[in-house]
């Protein structure tokens, strides 16, 4: 397996947890310390720190040191990798649907296929 595939595996595994997805969503708005990230949750600071560690190992976040603070920063670059992967399969699915539409048009006579019900 190549490096990008391994990284994607780690990213998708990290994002499988709803708490980690929420942390990523919050970090998209602004950097925050682990303590700040822990505030809205009814879990320990240590548990949030473990979630952040999983996100860090997946390459989704980095931590820096600013004076006494250690803010967590979302690494948006990893989203490019995810987007490329998703887009590749989206294009393949769209092409498959276009071929199916074309086949259905040929089978029913061009342009005579009934419209789908909008409800």
């Amino acid at each position: 397996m190549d490096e990008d595939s391994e990284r994607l595996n780690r990213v998708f595994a990290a994002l499988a947890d709803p708490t980690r997805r929420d942390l990523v969503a919050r970090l998209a708005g602004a950097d925050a310390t682990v303590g700040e990230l822990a505030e809205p949750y009814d879990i320990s600071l240590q548990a949030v720190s473990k979630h952040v560690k999983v996100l860090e190992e997946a390459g989704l976040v980095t931590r820096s040191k600013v004076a006494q603070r250690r803010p967590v920063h979302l690494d948006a670059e990893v989203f490019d990798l995810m987007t490329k992967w998703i887009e590749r399969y989206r294009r393949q699915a769209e092409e498959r649907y276009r071929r199916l539409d074309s086949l259905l048009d040929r089978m029913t006579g061009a342009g005579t296929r009934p419209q789908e019900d909008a409800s």
Side-chain angles (χ1 to χ4, degrees):
M1 202 175 283
D2 66 13
E3 186 178 324
D4 283 348
S5 294
E6 286 294 326
R7 189 168 186 199
L8 274 172
N9 289 343
R10 288 191 308 271
V11 167
F12 284 125
L15 293 175
D17 182 275
T19 300
R20 290 193 286 266
R21 286 194 306 273
D22 187 58
L23 291 172
V24 168
R26 291 177 52 216
L27 289 168
D31 292 354
T33 64
V34 172
E36 292 165 343
L37 289 171
E39 287 173 4
Y41 302 110
D42 191 25
I43 58 177
S44 70
L45 187 65
Q46 184 179 13
V48 172
S49 185
K50 286 181 180 182
H51 281 300
V52 169
K53 181 74 171 165
V54 170
L55 294 172
E56 191 173 21
E57 288 171 354
L60 285 159
V61 301
T62 57
R63 293 191 220 195
S64 60
K65 187 166 184 170
V66 179
Q68 297 299 318
R69 295 184 78 227
R70 289 197 33 95
V72 180
H73 171 76
L74 183 64
D75 186 358
E77 182 181 304
V78 74
F79 292 110
D80 291 338
L81 180 64
M82 294 169 60
T83 300
K84 286 177 189 174
W85 184 85
I86 291 167
E87 184 64 22
R88 179 174 131 203
Y89 292 104
R90 185 190 64 76
R91 280 192 314 268
Q92 287 179 358
E94 284 181 352
E95 178 58 32
R96 193 178 53 207
Y97 286 125
R98 278 194 293 274
R99 287 192 314 262
L100 179 59
D101 284 343
S102 177
L103 176 64
L104 290 172
D105 284 343
R106 285 193 311 271
M107 289 175 68
T108 61
T112 60
R113 192 162 35 103
Q115 294 292 333
E116 290 182 10
D117 187 10
S119 58

